[in-house]
Structure formats: C-alpha cells, structure tokens
Amino acid sequence: MTMTDEVFLLSGQLTKTGHRLVQRVYYEDTDFSGLVYHARYLHFLERGRTDYLRCLGCQQSDLLAADEEGLVFVVHRMEIDFKMPAKMDDALTILTTTEKAGGAKMVLSQEIRRGDTLLIAAKVAIAVINRHGRPRRLPESVAEKFLQSSN
C-alpha cells in the first residue's frame, strides 16, 4: 500500500453520487446521556466536506496558494434536520453530494447514517472567497470536479 492509498483510505472514497466517509463515535462525542452532543455533528459534517475535497484532489492549502488572490471555502448557511440520535461506538457514514458548484457559491447536501438509518440531513451553502474575504469565482476546473463526482 502506498502513502497515497493510505491517505485516500483515511479520507473515505468517491462514489457515483459524491463522497462517503465512515467515522466512529467516541466518548468525547457524547454528552452525559451517551448520545452524540448536537454540536458534534458539525464536526462529522466538516470532516466529510474536507475529505471530499481531498479525494477530489483539491488540497485547501494549495487552493489558498494557487494564485495571488487565493481561494477559500467558508460555510455561508447550513440547514440541519436532526432525525435520530447517534450513540457511542456507532459507526457513522457521512455522505456528501454536490447540488451546485459555480460562480462564488457551492451547495452541498450531506447525510449522516447509521447503516440504513438516516440520522442527520444537512444542506450547506459554501461561499467562495479570496484570502481577503471578498467573493471570488470558483475556477471552472474546480467546479467541474465537484459536478462530475455527483453525476
């Protein structure tokens, strides 16, 4: 196994519809009841989005350094539906798909599942900005990677 294989193994995998990442629920993710604390789901969703980028060959540090303007992704809006709780030791699957990628915006749909059971459904609007916090267009080459992975 090469270093690249290991990185992609840790980063989940691209699927026909987007990205799939499996994460275990640890004690640190839970509250006194043994259920995942609601804010920890943001961490799982962020890991899914970050590893989706990585599997697409888009390193965030490279995007920032790609040109004088730099390219940064920031969460602009997030809608989360909490359907069912996760518990310690659950194996969760974080699924991420692209709904829109272009202009200065991306929209991603995410789910967290335990087996076939939907626990969390989220829609995330991502603003594309430069290193100075001003909107910038998503390069077509990057937008194509997101759109091709979700077809």
Side-chain angles (χ1 to χ4, degrees), residues 11 23 62 68 70 80 87 93 105-106 118 134:
S11 300
Q23 297 277 286
D62 293 343
E68 186 177 299
I80 302 175
K87 301 177 290 243
T93 302
K105 180 179 177 182
M106 290 192 312
L118 177 63
R134 294 187 183 96

Side-chain angles (χ1 to χ4, degrees), residues 14-147:
L14 293 176
T15 67
K16 292 179 182 179
T17 58
H19 180 260
R20 178 181 181 271
L21 177 68
V22 176
Q23 297 277 286
R24 170 98 39 216
V25 174
Y26 294 104
Y27 180 76
E28 68 185 17
D29 300 317
T30 63
D31 61 17
F32 70 93
S33 70
L35 301 176
V36 171
Y37 180 65
H38 73 280
R40 294 299 290 178
Y41 291 107
L42 296 174
H43 294 253
F44 291 122
L45 295 169
E46 177 65 33
R47 290 176 197 162
R49 292 190 305 276
T50 299
D51 283 334
Y52 184 24
L53 276 170
R54 185 172 286 115
C55 286
L56 289 174
C58 298
Q59 300 294 331
Q60 293 189 54
S61 56
D62 293 343
L63 293 172
L64 182 60
D67 58 29
E68 186 177 299
E69 196 175 0
L71 182 101
V72 179
F73 299 119
V74 294
V75 172
H76 173 69
R77 179 179 174 81
M78 182 180 283
E79 298 174 21
I80 302 175
D81 290 324
F82 296 89
K83 307 284 189 184
M84 305 245 331
K87 301 177 290 243
M88 192 165 63
D89 292 327
D90 282 351
L92 304 179
T93 302
I94 299 105
L95 302 168
T96 306
T97 59
T98 303
E99 287 188 15
K100 178 190 186 295
K105 180 179 177 182
M106 290 192 312
V107 178
L108 303 176
S109 290
Q110 293 190 277
E111 293 181 351
I112 298 178
R113 292 182 169 271
R114 179 181 52 234
D116 292 332
T117 304
L118 177 63
L119 305 179
I120 301 291
K123 185 171 287 204
V124 186
I126 308 287
V128 183
I129 62 172
N130 66 18
R131 72 177 71 246
H132 306 292
R134 294 187 183 96
R136 79 163 281 182
R137 292 188 66 75
L138 184 64
E140 284 186 36
S141 60
V142 176
E144 286 175 12
K145 288 180 181 183
F146 278 95
L147 294 171

